Amino acid sequence: MKGVTGVRSRRVRELLTNLGFIAPAVRGWRDQAACSGTNPEVFYPVGSGPEIAPRVAAAKQICAGCPVRQVCLADAMSWEDPALRWGVVGGLWAADRSELFENRRVNQIGEVA
């Protein structure tokens, strides 16, 4: 059974690499993040409708000037379950990350076909 798991892991890693979602190996990047020391709840606002928009914008503003935003986004995209996306990560709201994932997947399929 171990061999099957290894093959599956390689295939998943290969797919994620082809889609551009493998996070670069940058040690200590979280310490350099603009959000370091910020209450995590800022990035996971609760609510719906118009009341949530300013909260999402505030979280995105923190990410906007972050020196490791791209690494953060790549990290999240490499492990995040698409069905469970939530919050602002790497400067993108959950719906933005879903759209990014879908666009990359479609582009990858188009290039292969």
Side-chain angles (χ1 to χ4, degrees):
M1 193 61 108
K2 185 176 180 180
V4 172
T5 303
V7 169
R8 179 178 288 154
S9 295
R10 279 195 309 275
R11 286 183 181 161
V12 168
R13 186 159 185 79
E14 182 178 305
L15 173 63
L16 290 173
T17 300
N18 290 341
L19 292 174
F21 294 129
I22 294 294
V26 178
R27 293 190 174 274
W29 66 266
R30 287 179 178 86
D31 296 332
Q32 301 169 37
C35 64
S36 181
T38 304
N39 183 342
E41 290 183 13
V42 169
F43 299 94
Y44 299 93
V46 178
S48 61
E51 69 188 43
I52 201 169
R55 295 177 189 157
V56 170
K60 285 182 170 184
Q61 185 63 38
I62 294 170
C63 296
C66 183
V68 292
R69 186 178 66 81
Q70 293 293 338
V71 175
C72 176
L73 179 60
D75 178 66
M77 297 298 283
S78 71
W79 62 261
E80 186 176 51
D81 182 340
L84 301 176
R85 285 196 175 105
W86 182 249
V88 175
V89 179
L92 298 180
W93 178 242
D96 301 329
R97 294 192 309 278
S98 291
E99 184 177 335
L100 174 65
F101 182 84
E102 187 61 25
N103 287 341
R104 286 187 175 182
R105 188 180 68 77
V106 167
N107 287 340
Q108 183 69 27
I109 291 170
E111 289 174 10
V112 172

